[in-house]
Structures are given as C-alpha cells and as structure tokens.
Amino acid sequence: MNVYLQGLERAITLILSGDKELVEITFRSLFVSSTAVIIAGIIGVPIGTWLGTLRPVLWKNLFIRLIYVFMGLPPVLAGLILFLLLSRSGPIAKYVYLLYTPTAMILAQLMLSLPIVIGLVYVVAEEKAPVVIMTAKGLGATRLQTLTTLMKEIRFPAITALVSAFGRVIAEVGAVMLVGGDIEGKTRVLTTSIVIETRKGNFDLAIALGLILLFVSFIINSLLFSWQQGGKSK
C-alpha cells in the first residue's frame, strides 16, 4: 500500500511542478485526439444527417451495418491496417511517408472516431428527420436547407457523439503505438507513456499521466453536461 501512496504523492508533485515532459505529452495527446475528432465531426455529422433523411433501401441498410461494425473496430486492427498502408512497401509511401508521425496517429484515431460519429448522428437524425422534412417541404425549403435545419435540430446529440468519439480515441493505445512508434519527444502520448513508464517501473510518472488522462476526460464531459443543460434551459 505504501508503494501506491508514494507513487500518488510523487505524481501529484510532478503535476504541480509543471514537469516539461508531462506537459509535452499531455498537449500532444490533446492535439492528436482533438484534430482527429474535429475532422470526424466535419465529415461524419453531415453524412450521418444525410443518411437519416434517406428512405430504407438495400445499399443504405448495408452501409449502416458496416458503420456499426466499424464502431467496434479494435484499435490494434485499425493500427495494423494503417501501418500496412503507410509502410515503405505500402501504396502511400511512394508519394509521402507518414509512418511514425503525429499525422499517422491522427489518421488512426480518425479511423476509430468517424464510424462512431456517423452511427450516433444517424440514429438521432433518422428519428428527427420526418418532422423536419415535412415542415421544410411545407415552407418550400431546398434539400440543402432541410439538411442544414436538421443538423441544427440535432446539434446537442451531435456534440455528444463527438465527445463519445473523443473519449474512445484519447484512451486507446494499440493504434497510436503501431503507427506512431511511441518515439520520445515526437509521437509519445498519454496512453502509450503509461504503458512504457509502468514497464520501466516509473510508477509515479505513470500515475501522474493516468491522473491527467482522467482529469481531461472529466473536463470534457463536464463542459458537455453544462452546455447541454444550458441548451435545455433556453
């Protein structure tokens, strides 16, 4: 028990001291995960909204099932697929070599977050779509105006989808470790650092990183909750 208490005490000391390595790893994690989720939102919210307005057809049902499958895609498998695409023998390397860079890590997390955003937004959009489409048609709105209106109607569930995606990608290890390589000072993030420091026996730093990861999740979810409550009260 003393080992754990000492580790916790050293972790808090490290956090309060503003350790340079700790700050660097934290900001890199936030940058990689936030960028991936923002891109997923830009692509996924319109696609999920558009799918929600379509009538049930064979290709739509197959596509939605595929999205649901990818919502549970194992991070290691996503990392492996991207690793093969970005490696020297892959089809992309002859144009640009991205392996073991933050860009590769962003792409890996985008593979994980995009299906989550599309799937969750689609469910809400499909529920809201009939009323919005009927009203929009009555007012003579165009297809684009209808989609825009529907996106406004589901903005709070869409934000929830983005936060859910963020929660998944910032906590995953396998994909970013495969394509990022966990290079110190370049591609090391919170989750990979926790694994490495635990293996090295640096429990104080590992606990500090874990506390920061927990704190980041708490802040993001608290902001979401406050925003949702503010929206409901209007």
Side-chain angles (χ1 to χ4, degrees):
M1 181 62 70
N2 289 333
V3 174
Y4 299 114
L5 292 175
Q6 288 175 3
L8 183 60
E9 182 181 348
R10 290 176 184 173
I12 294 172
T13 303
L14 273 172
I15 293 172
L16 295 177
S17 67
D19 182 77
K20 184 180 178 181
E21 183 182 5
L22 209 59
V23 171
E24 181 183 304
I25 291 171
T26 301
F27 275 99
R28 186 179 299 113
S29 296
L30 289 172
F31 171 74
V32 169
S33 298
S34 299
T35 304
V37 171
I38 289 171
I39 297 172
I42 293 172
I43 300 172
V45 173
I47 291 177
T49 306
W50 173 68
L51 287 171
T53 64
L54 297 178
R55 294 178 180 178
V57 291
L58 180 60
W59 74 263
K60 175 189 172 181
N61 293 335
L62 291 174
F63 183 74
I64 293 300
R65 290 185 182 185
L66 188 63
I67 289 295
Y68 284 168
V69 170
F70 279 102
M71 285 175 70
L73 182 67
V76 174
L77 179 57
L80 175 61
I81 294 170
L82 192 59
F83 182 91
L84 295 174
L85 290 173
L86 299 180
S87 65
R88 293 289 183 188
S89 58
I92 299 175
K94 59 182 178 181
Y95 302 107
V96 57
Y97 187 67
L98 298 175
L99 202 59
Y100 304 134
T101 65
T103 302
M105 297 163 69
I106 291 170
L107 290 174
Q109 293 196 352
L110 179 60
M111 287 178 64
L112 297 171
S113 57
L114 184 58
I116 294 175
V117 175
I118 294 175
L120 295 181
V121 169
Y122 160 73
V123 171
V124 181
E126 188 180 43
E127 181 182 345
K128 298 278 188 180
V131 175
V132 173
I133 291 174
M134 188 180 299
T135 305
K137 282 184 177 179
L139 297 173
T142 63
R143 178 72 172 172
L144 181 59
Q145 289 172 328
T146 303
L147 287 173
T148 304
T149 302
L150 183 56
M151 280 193 283
K152 289 180 180 178
E153 288 293 319
I154 64 170
R155 61 188 182 278
F156 290 113
I159 293 295
T160 302
L162 292 175
V163 173
S164 298
F166 182 83
R168 187 190 186 197
V169 297
I170 199 171
E172 73 86 23
V173 183
V176 293
M177 186 170 280
L178 272 173
V179 301
D182 190 51
I183 302 171
E184 187 174 356
K186 187 178 179 182
T187 59
R188 182 164 291 182
V189 292
L190 286 169
T191 49
T192 59
S193 296
I194 292 172
V195 174
I196 296 299
E197 298 304 329
T198 300
R199 287 176 178 174
K200 290 162 60 177
N202 296 332
F203 300 115
D204 51 348
L205 182 54
I207 293 173
L209 292 164
L211 289 174
I212 291 173
L213 189 60
L214 187 63
F215 180 72
V216 167
S217 298
F218 172 77
I219 292 297
I220 295 295
N221 284 284
S222 295
L223 289 173
L224 168 66
F225 179 77
S226 299
W227 192 51
Q228 283 181 325
Q229 292 302 309
K232 290 178 181 178
S233 62
K234 291 180 181 180

